[in-house]
Amino acid sequence: MASYRELEPAKNGKPRIKITVELGYDEETGKRIRKYKTVTLNSLSDRAIKKAITEYEIEVSKLDVIQITESITFMEFRNRWLDNYVRLDLSPATKSHYVRILNTGTFDMFDSMKMKKIKKFHIVEYFSEEKKEGRKNLSNKFSILKSIFAKAIEWEIINENPMNGIKAPHVEPRQRELEFYDSEHLSQMLEAINSLNLKYRVIYKLACLVGLRESEIAALRLEKINFVNNTILIDQALKYDTEEKSELILGPTKNKKSRIVNVPQKFMDEIKEQVNDQKKLKIRSGNAWKPMKDDDGKDIDFLVTSQRFLGYPIVPSAISNTWRRHSKKLELPKINFHALRHSCASYLLSNDANFKIIQEQLGHSDVGLTMNTYSHLTKEDKKTAIDLFNKIL
């Protein structure tokens, strides 16, 4: 917003005005921020005054941008990066993950530095110190910094990207033994869960017979189930936005791609029974039924719902917690819920299913990930295959 007032004429007799441009209030002091300029005109016509004001407003706006790019600190920019990119364009899970890392004071050494002053050497020193201190999440921290400085280039805050040419820190992969049930334990588990409520039998079988993640199971809607072809469309996952403390929301799957999974016929009969149970429960519940709504305000009908909040989806983490209690009660070999998904892949591999089929069923981004994850499960098969040469030796 701009205003003006007339001044005494200049020495040459031409009229002068003083233009004031209002730029709001200083967040720290609460004082008004104003810019002033005295302009000499040929006349005091409305047209001449309006032209002078417009030109100064443009000049101030350009000056403001220049001042921002010259003085903005890393902390100020990363907050804008969060607001204008992360919170708008990334999934709730990724956003929460980034915010969780940033809230631990991860980049304190950069926060007070001006973006234009941060050089490659500062980045190298930062990761060198992180390694010396034995700190974790180095790969994630590298990815966050890379994203921040890439946006700083895109938004023309800096001219050179200090991340260019810097290699991601080498992190020794964690050597964790992959947990899963072999065919014998899988049969034992399937037999044992027959004593459980239908809802939980369906949940656990969706993991070990179909290979679904807990977030995908929680997001299954009735209209995505095809009883003619014995398939289910997996197009979303249930997410919880930990930063905003919001309700559960439906978001994309882990690899952001939809897939159609095949379901054994016998198991499909149980799913059909669960669908019917859900429909009956909805009718019985009446006004107590409080479902999640879609963007058009229509009820979303989930295959499994919360026991406490009728009609509302089950929290994905609650699935793991319930499995832990049930498996202990049924005296099953101890593995976490996600290992049921590994058990699905293991069983398929041991029965000669190829990696491409397993990749598509489990929803991995590419077959290479599937092979890297499960190739060691085929060691015994490889030994058996090589032993065939004994017949011709």
Side-chain angles (χ1 to χ4, degrees), residues 181-239:
Y181 283 152
D182 58 22
S183 58
E184 182 181 340
H185 286 136
L186 194 55
S187 295
Q188 178 189 345
M189 172 254 183
L190 292 171
E191 178 66 29
I193 65 173
N194 281 332
S195 62
L196 300 177
N197 179 282
L198 174 64
K199 179 174 82 170
Y200 294 111
R201 295 205 307 270
V202 167
I203 288 173
Y204 302 151
K205 288 182 180 180
L206 282 168
C208 70
L209 300 183
V210 186
L212 301 190
R213 302 176 176 94
E214 61 182 20
S215 60
E216 295 169 344
I217 294 170
L220 277 183
R221 282 91 70 219
L222 302 189
E223 72 269 16
K224 304 301 176 180
I225 304 169
N226 187 324
F227 290 107
V228 176
N229 297 326
N230 293 331
T231 59
I232 300 175
L233 173 63
I234 306 299
D235 61 347
Q236 289 188 299
L238 206 63
K239 314 278 184 176

Side-chain angles (χ1 to χ4, degrees), residues 29 38 46-48 63 95 97 107 128 137 167 180 188 220 224 226 235-236 244-245 252 283 306 333 349 354 393:
T29 64
T38 299
D46 289 344
R47 182 177 180 181
L63 181 64
K95 178 185 69 172
H97 179 62
F107 302 122
S128 176
N137 290 325
K167 293 181 180 179
F180 64 95
Q188 178 189 345
L220 277 183
K224 304 301 176 180
N226 187 324
D235 61 347
Q236 289 188 299
E244 301 295 338
K245 304 298 181 186
I283 295 171
S306 169
L349 276 172
N354 68 52
L393 288 176

Side-chain angles (χ1 to χ4, degrees), residues 199 278 281 289 304-315:
K199 179 174 82 170
Q278 277 294 103
L281 179 61
W289 192 259
V304 292
T305 51
S306 169
Q307 202 165 348
R308 185 178 176 188
F309 303 105
L310 293 174
Y312 206 72
I314 191 169
V315 177

Side-chain angles (χ1 to χ4, degrees), residues 1-2 88 208 259 341:
M1 181 179 175
L88 293 179
C208 70
R259 71 186 190 279
R341 178 172 148 89

Side-chain angles (χ1 to χ4, degrees), residues 356-373:
K356 185 63 180 174
I357 290 173
I358 297 171
Q359 177 224 333
E360 292 173 353
Q361 184 77 7
L362 270 62
H364 286 160
S365 55
D366 60 74
V367 74
L369 174 60
T370 310
M371 295 180 74
N372 289 336
T373 305

Side-chain angles (χ1 to χ4, degrees), residues 51 97 295 336 342 371 373 387:
K51 182 174 183 290
H97 179 62
D295 293 337
N336 62 35
H342 296 322
M371 295 180 74
T373 305
D387 283 345

